[in-house]
Amino acid sequence: WGWYMESRQKFSREDKVSAEWLMLRKNPVRGSAGVAWSEQQGLLSEVEYVPNAPEVTWGVIVYREVRDTMLFPDIYVRTSSVYSGGYHVYVGGLSHGGVYIGCHRDVSSIVIGLASARKRN
């Protein structure tokens, strides 16, 4: 079990994946790696939003199963989910062929970009 299963990590129980269309960007938002969360928000287009950790995790797993290719194999992407420490959760395909879920302060990091998905109409 991972750290996100602790009772204080509400995002892992409250953030959901809806049974509807999800168009997840296959790469981090351009220019978002090495940029703090507050600056990453300005890089989104008007038709994008930052998906939560379960949405990104689901997208990575399904894409791998269907395409036999891992999304975000060399980078993590920040999500809209917030862990108990108050910072955003990140997801990446770097965990021994699986999905890695981590957390870090919302400062710039060259290995953490921003996840995005197309807004639903």
Side-chain angles (χ1 to χ4, degrees), residues 14 16 35 63 75 82 94:
E14 295 176 3
K16 306 290 183 204
V35 177
Y63 196 84
I75 194 165
V82 177
L94 300 168

Side-chain angles (χ1 to χ4, degrees), residues 7-110:
S7 61
R8 64 188 174 140
Q9 305 303 339
K10 296 185 188 322
F11 81 90
S12 64
R13 290 180 308 286
E14 295 176 3
D15 289 358
K16 306 290 183 204
V17 177
S18 300
E20 59 187 14
W21 183 76
L22 174 67
M23 187 174 180
L24 183 66
R25 185 188 287 248
K26 295 186 329 183
N27 297 299
V29 172
R30 185 174 305 220
S32 65
V35 177
W37 169 260
S38 58
E39 298 170 64
Q40 287 176 333
Q41 302 308 290
L43 300 173
L44 292 171
S45 75
E46 63 280 349
V47 297
E48 295 176 293
Y49 74 99
V50 180
N52 65 36
E55 289 173 319
V56 175
T57 301
W58 179 83
V60 168
I61 291 169
V62 169
Y63 196 84
R64 183 183 65 203
E65 291 299 315
V66 172
R67 304 277 184 184
D68 196 30
T69 300
M70 182 67 81
L71 296 178
F72 318 121
D74 301 318
I75 194 165
Y76 302 107
V77 289
R78 220 173 247 135
T79 70
S80 63
S81 296
V82 177
Y83 84 107
S84 64
Y87 301 115
H88 290 86
V89 175
Y90 59 82
V91 175
L94 300 168
S95 181
H96 304 290
V99 178
Y100 182 83
I101 301 171
C103 53
H104 188 268
R105 296 177 302 138
D106 289 343
V107 296
S108 62
S109 172
I110 195 68

